[in-house]
Structure formats: structure tokens, C-alpha cells
Amino acid sequence: MPELRQDIITGEWVVIATERSKRPESFTARAETGPDDRTNCPFCYGHEAMTPPEIMAYSEEERKPDTPGWKVRVVPNKFPAFSHEGILKEFEYGIYRAMTGIGSHEVIIHSPDHLKDLDQLSTEQIDLVLSVYRERYLALSTVEEYKYILIIVNHGPRAGASLRHPHSQLFAIPMVPHLLEMEISGAERYFREHGKCVYCQMVSFEMKERVRMVAENDRFVVLEPYASQSPFETWIIPKNHLSNFEEITDSDKRALAGILKGILENIADNLGDPPYNYYLHTSPLHQRDLQHYHWHLEILPRLTIRAGFELGSRLIINVTTPESAAEFLRAGYGQGNLR
Amino acid sequence: MPELRQDIITGEWVVIATERSKRPESFTARAETGPDDRTNCPFCYGHEAMTPPEIMAYSEEERKPDTPGWKVRVVPNKFPAFSHEGILKEFEYGIYRAMTGIGSHEVIIHSPDHLKDLDQLSTEQIDLVLSVYRERYLALSTVEEYKYILIIVNHGPRAGASLRHPHSQLFAIPMVPHLLEMEISGAERYFREHGKCVYCQMVSFEMKERVRMVAENDRFVVLEPYASQSPFETWIIPKNHLSNFEEITDSDKRALAGILKGILENIADNLGDPPYNYYLHTSPLHQRDLQHYHWHLEILPRLTIRAGFELGSRLIINVTTPESAAEFLRAGYGQGNLR
């Protein structure tokens, strides 16, 4: 059972994931990611038995679970950072506090194609992946112990991807994590002071200024945030206020698939296919129709290394202005520019 | 002039360091660190003119500034993230807040030796480096605009070191950074609730438990914190309460040099010379004799990659327990074990 431990000084929590634990010795041999080899890929057709039994899948034809023919497939993570077996329990250990690492850790396989990254899939296929996001959110939001669901993508080994076959990961966890707490309490404070959603304000300000705007369609803007933490940090924000991603309409979901494909293609084509992470920030579970919070997707290309200053202070030094990054990406759309 | 920008949602600040700015185009060519070449090293003897004029140096013989013969040398960073020219000024930009990036960014060259890492230097030489830390703290603490001084080491390119010749960096900045704010307010809360310094409590608990202890001498303990954020995160904590590093006595400084050499040697020898960062956490400037805060040094080996989950949540998944890491490092001292 993974364990959550609280830092006695800062109050921050850390997951000690014993299920995926590494022996100290294993760090001395610097592990490189394996060869780009489909024969051992647990996410390719015909290898369904290499994963734990599937949670769900989309397919056109009827099929038996854990057989080929699926279009998107969801399976439990084989080395979960959170476990859905056991009970949620806080406990003390001497002067410290801890809790059981209850939760769910799932893998969403984007397509049967071993090499096609998200931006190389059709808009229809990306739309299907987003449908799975929504469906899993809705299914897991009924579990009382879960307080937050975070869906993320790790693209490339230097962004933490350990398997090449493109996939998302979903984490259902027993607390609202620190970054989301900061976002939500900050947004709440802004709403109290200004009577407006801070994300709605930002969208309207940036659409006027245009210097940090990258692209837009009817439903979404793509922009570089004013206080970007890294070069090319990019957010996709819905133009209309909505606190909970899982309430996205089919037509908005389709529009998101299109704009997500466009920006990921742009980044891959014009920045040399860099490693990146993206993560979907939405309301905590069991909270709906928040006036002050606004779901969005954050893309973080991993072009620089966080060094001692950043890790020792949490004050990030960014060497590229969001204005110049936005200008570069606007040009990067070329013929296909959404504007 | 570098600029600090505040995240309008979370309230966190980011440094946009225009002085060291990278054009977006430069990211497409993946920069590798240069060859291990002394001929172009600005930190080697005879190359003193390649750095800005020196701030201070220790040497045995009398010498002219910016000439060879020094033992430890301090120079301004050529591409500073903070600038000491200009005035501290907060300002608004539309809906956002920013301030000028006033501060000082210095480089402390550990020795004339291009290749000798900190742990390979003599205890005497490390003691000299620590004396420079203390001297620069004291000198910069008189500047009213500076609120915090952070001294860090980046070891290895994957920990953010861009020059091979071993050095520390000192940042004097116009705010108390987020991580220190969290530490200090958390320690203050603990003191209010328990009437004791949380670091003193931790030292005494860990010396009894012994499972996360790595080493100790008369003045310091070396331990893996209970809520370690990464495999082999290691703290050096003074046994006697002291809030401000710059008040360290000569004999404590000597003891710190010894124990720092020992643990860095242990990590290098037994974990394959991994990249690491260390940073010195001490009280904010203009605050002294705090009962609730306790300076210490944190070493963070960079053995794993922070991925989408960690970046998108600030909840860190650690795959190694601090107990097993401590056991491994205790064994790693072998004959030279300080116990």
C-alpha cells in the first residue's frame, strides 16, 4: 500500500510509492529507456494480456475485453502510485503524520499505434481520447474517498515517459494537491475582491492585448501565461466559464481536440519535438458549478532544467519571455494558423 | 533589468530573466554542454579577465585582483538573474503585478582546480568555501532591499550546471521565496503549538529512532527526512539551535566542512557520481535569533525525473523510502563511517 507522508515543517504531502519502489542499488546503473520495440510493448494489439484486465475500451465492433480491435483502451497502472484496495486512514508515526495511499492510477492508451503521438492522430481520435477522460472522471467521481482527479501526459523520456506507446495517466487521489489548492484559493480570493472569475478576466485581457495569445477558435484560447514558469508554457482555456471539465459538451470537446492537435503539432514541428507534460486542471471532486474556478489544460515543454535555485526556493527563473514565445508559436502555425 | 511577475491566480512569483534570455529559436538546437575544456574556462588560473571584476578572493600571498594565486574567488554572474543596478519598484501591468528584479547574483569558485568536485577538495579548502559563504552573507545582509540570500550548488549538467569548473552560486533577492515562506510559517506554527523548534524536535526524534539517520558528528546530524521528496534527499542539520547560518562559529564551520565532504563523497562513490543540487536554508535577512527557525543544508540528488503528475499537482511521488536510502548510505561510509 503506497503511503502519503506529511512534511512536518511545510505541511506538504509526499507519496512514498512502495509498490513501484526502487532499491537504492538500482540507481547506480543509470537506466536508459528500452529500445523502441513493439514486440515487448504492453499497449500494442495482441499484447492485451501484458496489462492488468482492462477497465474500459472504445471499439467500433463488439469485442471481448483484453483482445485487439479497440480504439482507446484504459487499464490499471501495473505499478500504481495509489491503490484502490484498502481503506483511507490517517495515522501518526512518532512526531509525524501519514495516511494510506488510497486512490486509482489508470493508463489511457491513446490508440493502437505504437509511434503516433497525440498530435499525429486524427482530430476524431483525439476527440475519442477526450471522451474517455470525461467518462473516467464521471465514473470515479462517485467514490467518496477520492478528492481530486488529475489527468496528465508525459511525452518523451526526459518528461518522465517510461513507455514509448503514447498514453495518458489518470490519478484519483484522496486529497486536493498543493498546486490545485493554491489555484483554487487564489481564484476564490480574486472572486471575492473583484466579483469575477480570474480566468475569464485573463481570457478577456489577453484577447485584447494579443501579445501573449497564440491561437483561438470559437470555444478556446491558447496563450502563454504572463508569469510563465518555463519557456513555451502554454495554456488552453475555454472561453465560456465552466468549473468542471467533466461537464464539457460534445461540441466543445470536439473543438478542444482540434485546438489541442494544432498546438501540439506546432510545438513538435517548430521546437524539434521536445519532451513535454500536460495536465488538466479542473475542480475538486464533489464540487460543482464554482463561480470562481475555471477548468483549463496546461502544457509544459521541458526545454530547460530546474536547478538548485528553483528547487531550493520554488521561485522559478524563466529565460524566455512569454511574449516572444507567443510570437514564435503564432508564426509557427504558418498556413494552418487557426486565426 | 530582470523582472519578477506574479501569477495572478496562485500569487507565486516568477523571474523573467531577460539578461540571460534565450531566443525561442535557440531551443530547437538541443544545446549540449561544451567539452571539458580548460582553455575556455573562465574560472581557471590565468583566465580571470574572462569574468566580471572579482568581488573578493582568499589567497595566502598578497595579489592583485583578477590575477592568479587565489584559493577561493567570488565574481558577479556574467548573466545575472537579478541585477544590483536600478531601484526596487512594484508596478502594475493591466490586471497583473510585477516588480523589478533587484538583487545580486554571484559565483563562488571553489578552488583553482578545474575538475575537483567539492567532495574531492581537502576539508581545509571546503572550510574556506564555507567561510566565503559566511562573509558574503554578512556583507550583503546590510542591503535593505534584499530580503533573502540563497546559496546553492548545481553539480553536473543534469542538475543545471552549465560550467564544469566547480562553483556555488549566491542569490540575494528582494523577497522571501515561496519555499522558505512555507518552511518559516510552518515552523512558526509548530512552535506556537508545541513550544519547541520543529528542527530540534526532528533531530532528537531521529537520533532516537536511528532508521533515517545517515551520519553524525559532535555538531551535526545527516539524515533522510521522513517525507523525502526524492530518493536520497539528505539534510545536514546543526544539533544546536541556530536560526542564522551566518552566525556559525569557526569550529562549527570546520565540523560542517568535514561532514559535508563525507556525505558528498559517499553519494558520489556509491551512487555513481549522480548530478545533485544543494541549498542552504537560513533565516530571512534582517531577522535574527528566531526561536522557531533553524538553518540547515539540503542535498537533492537528481536520480529521477519529475513528470506530469508532480508538475501538475506539486504532490511528489518518491519511489524509494528514506529508511532504505539511509540504510544504503550508512553502509556506504564503510571504513570511513563517521559513527
Side-chain angles (χ1 to χ4, degrees):
Chain A
M1 165 71 70
E3 184 176 299
L4 285 125
R5 295 183 178 188
Q6 188 173 33
D7 185 308
I8 192 174
I9 299 150
T10 62
E12 289 187 302
W13 291 84
V14 168
V15 187
I16 307 283
T18 45
E19 319 266 321
R20 46 166 56 192
S21 83
K22 280 198 188 179
R23 289 294 307 155
E25 290 77 9
S26 67
F27 289 108
T28 58
R30 298 253 174 78
E32 295 296 319
T33 49
D36 216 358
D37 184 358
R38 288 162 216 236
T39 54
N40 290 314
C41 174
F43 299 163
C44 276
Y45 272 181
H47 299 175
E48 285 78 5
M50 289 171 72
T51 70
E54 76 189 30
I55 294 167
M56 62 166 283
Y58 287 158
S59 57
E60 257 162 31
E61 315 276 303
E62 207 157 312
R63 63 181 264 285
K64 277 192 196 156
D66 302 315
T67 61
W70 48 272
K71 299 182 91 170
V72 184
R73 184 168 179 255
V74 183
V75 299
N77 193 302
K78 208 169 177 176
F79 306 101
F82 297 90
S83 164
H84 51 83
E85 282 161 22
I87 54 161
L88 183 59
K89 201 174 66 180
E90 287 209 34
F91 56 96
E92 288 185 5
Y93 166 75
I95 57 175
Y96 305 120
R97 281 175 68 204
M99 70 167 88
T100 49
I102 291 294
S104 188
H105 185 176
E106 306 181 356
V107 175
I108 298 161
I109 308 163
H110 294 165
S111 86
D113 196 305
H114 182 76
L115 290 176
K116 266 196 183 151
D117 294 318
L118 203 55
D119 62 286
Q120 296 164 329
L121 300 175
S122 67
T123 306
E124 292 69 28
Q125 183 70 23
I126 298 173
D127 191 23
L128 271 189
V129 172
L130 296 174
S131 296
V132 172
Y133 286 6
R134 183 175 63 180
E135 191 168 333
R136 293 306 300 151
Y137 259 108
L138 289 168
L140 289 162
S141 64
T142 59
V143 182
E144 207 191 326
E145 284 84 0
Y146 300 166
K147 299 291 184 286
Y148 199 80
I149 292 175
L150 185 67
I151 292 180
I152 64 104
V153 163
N154 299 331
H155 173 70
R158 289 191 298 140
S162 53
L163 291 170
R164 174 65 184 89
H165 194 128
H167 59 282
S168 300
Q169 293 183 65
L170 178 151
F171 300 79
I173 63 177
M175 61 172 53
V176 179
H178 186 57
L179 180 56
L180 273 300
E181 252 182 9
M182 284 200 296
E183 277 192 6
I184 291 160
S185 65
E188 225 171 339
R189 192 177 49 239
Y190 193 93
F191 193 88
R192 255 194 330 269
E193 287 170 13
H194 298 86
K196 283 175 186 157
C197 163
V198 62
Y199 294 92
C200 291
Q201 280 286 84
M202 193 191 298
V203 168
S204 116
F205 181 73
E206 297 298 349
M207 283 179 69
K208 252 183 303 184
E209 290 280 311
R210 307 216 74 76
V211 286
R212 282 168 298 276
M213 283 283 289
V214 173
E216 65 177 306
N217 62 19
D218 283 356
R219 317 294 176 87
F220 292 93
V221 297
V222 180
L223 55 80
E224 310 289 296
Y226 175 71
S228 289
Q229 302 218 343
S230 299
F232 299 94
E233 178 178 349
T234 302
W235 293 7
I236 302 179
I237 312 180
K239 287 182 176 175
N240 294 320
H241 185 79
L242 184 67
S243 59
N244 292 47
F245 165 78
E246 68 271 23
E247 292 176 19
I248 193 171
T249 62
D250 285 339
S251 64
D252 276 14
K253 184 164 58 61
R254 179 65 177 228
L256 176 61
I259 209 158
L260 179 59
K261 178 176 167 67
I263 185 62
L264 293 178
E265 256 174 10
N266 189 338
I267 289 171
D269 291 353
N270 296 299
L271 291 168
D273 191 21
Y276 66 78
N277 303 106
Y278 79 60
Y279 29 90
L280 211 165
H281 278 180
T282 181
S283 292
L285 290 171
H286 324 301
Q287 295 186 30
R288 299 182 81 155
D289 301 324
L290 303 180
Q291 285 182 291
H292 57 271
Y293 197 68
H294 191 127
W295 80 264
H296 59 283
L297 191 144
E298 302 188 8
I299 305 167
L300 202 67
R302 301 290 290 273
L303 295 160
T304 53
I305 289 172
R306 295 201 176 168
F309 180 75
E310 285 84 359
L311 293 168
S313 72
R314 303 272 178 95
L315 178 58
I316 307 292
I317 298 172
N318 181 358
V319 293
T320 304
T321 65
E323 293 77 15
S324 65
E327 192 186 352
F328 181 84
L329 289 175
R330 279 196 303 271
Y333 276 109
Q335 293 295 355
N337 197 335
L338 291 163
R339 288 299 302 156
Chain B
M1 167 69 72
E3 183 176 300
L4 284 125
R5 297 183 177 188
Q6 189 173 35
D7 185 309
I8 191 174
I9 299 150
T10 62
E12 289 187 301
W13 292 84
V14 168
V15 187
I16 307 285
T18 46
E19 319 266 323
R20 46 167 54 192
S21 82
K22 280 197 185 178
R23 289 293 309 152
E25 291 77 9
S26 67
F27 289 109
T28 58
R30 298 252 174 78
E32 294 296 320
T33 48
D36 216 356
D37 185 359
R38 288 162 216 233
T39 55
N40 291 314
C41 174
F43 299 163
C44 276
Y45 271 0
H47 299 173
E48 285 79 5
M50 290 173 72
T51 70
E54 76 189 28
I55 295 167
M56 62 166 283
Y58 286 159
S59 56
E60 258 161 32
E61 316 275 305
E62 209 160 309
R63 63 181 263 284
K64 278 192 197 155
D66 302 317
T67 61
W70 48 272
K71 298 183 91 171
V72 185
R73 184 168 180 254
V74 183
V75 299
N77 193 303
K78 208 170 177 176
F79 305 101
F82 297 90
S83 164
H84 51 83
E85 283 161 21
I87 54 160
L88 184 59
K89 200 175 67 180
E90 286 209 35
F91 56 97
E92 287 185 6
Y93 167 75
I95 57 175
Y96 304 120
R97 281 175 68 204
M99 70 167 88
T100 49
I102 291 293
S104 188
H105 185 176
E106 307 181 355
V107 176
I108 298 161
I109 308 163
H110 295 166
S111 87
D113 196 305
H114 183 76
L115 291 175
K116 266 195 183 152
D117 294 318
L118 203 55
D119 62 287
Q120 295 165 329
L121 300 175
S122 66
T123 307
E124 292 69 29
Q125 182 71 23
I126 299 172
D127 192 21
L128 273 188
V129 172
L130 298 175
S131 296
V132 172
Y133 287 5
R134 185 176 60 180
E135 192 169 332
R136 292 307 299 152
Y137 259 107
L138 289 168
L140 290 162
S141 64
T142 60
V143 183
E144 208 191 325
E145 283 84 0
Y146 300 165
K147 300 290 183 286
Y148 199 81
I149 293 176
L150 185 67
I151 293 180
I152 65 105
V153 164
N154 299 331
H155 173 70
R158 288 191 297 139
S162 53
L163 291 170
R164 174 67 183 88
H165 194 128
H167 60 282
S168 299
Q169 293 182 67
L170 177 151
F171 300 79
I173 63 175
M175 62 172 52
V176 179
H178 185 58
L179 181 55
L180 272 300
E181 252 182 9
M182 285 201 294
E183 276 192 6
I184 291 160
S185 66
E188 225 171 341
R189 192 177 49 239
Y190 193 92
F191 193 87
R192 256 196 328 271
E193 286 170 12
H194 298 85
K196 285 177 184 156
C197 162
V198 62
Y199 294 92
C200 290
Q201 280 286 85
M202 194 191 297
V203 168
S204 115
F205 181 73
E206 296 298 350
M207 284 179 69
K208 251 182 303 181
E209 289 280 310
R210 306 216 73 77
V211 287
R212 282 168 298 276
M213 283 282 287
V214 173
E216 65 177 305
N217 62 18
D218 282 357
R219 318 293 176 87
F220 293 92
V221 297
V222 181
L223 56 80
E224 310 290 295
Y226 175 71
S228 289
Q229 300 218 345
S230 300
F232 299 95
E233 177 178 350
T234 302
W235 292 7
I236 302 179
I237 313 180
K239 287 182 176 175
N240 294 321
H241 184 80
L242 183 67
S243 59
N244 292 48
F245 165 77
E246 69 270 24
E247 292 177 20
I248 193 171
T249 63
D250 285 340
S251 64
D252 276 14
K253 184 165 58 61
R254 179 66 177 228
L256 175 60
I259 209 159
L260 179 59
K261 178 176 168 67
I263 184 63
L264 292 179
E265 257 175 7
N266 189 337
I267 288 171
D269 291 353
N270 297 300
L271 291 168
D273 190 20
Y276 65 78
N277 304 107
Y278 78 60
Y279 28 90
L280 212 163
H281 278 179
T282 181
S283 291
L285 291 171
H286 325 300
Q287 295 187 30
R288 299 182 81 154
D289 301 326
L290 303 180
Q291 283 184 294
H292 56 272
Y293 196 67
H294 191 127
W295 81 265
H296 59 282
L297 192 144
E298 303 189 8
I299 305 166
L300 203 66
R302 302 289 291 272
L303 295 160
T304 53
I305 290 171
R306 294 200 176 170
F309 180 75
E310 284 84 0
L311 293 168
S313 71
R314 306 271 177 96
L315 178 58
I316 307 292
I317 299 172
N318 181 357
V319 294
T320 303
T321 65
E323 293 78 15
S324 65
E327 191 185 353
F328 181 83
L329 289 175
R330 279 197 303 272
Y333 277 107
Q335 293 295 355
N337 196 334
L338 291 164
R339 288 300 302 156

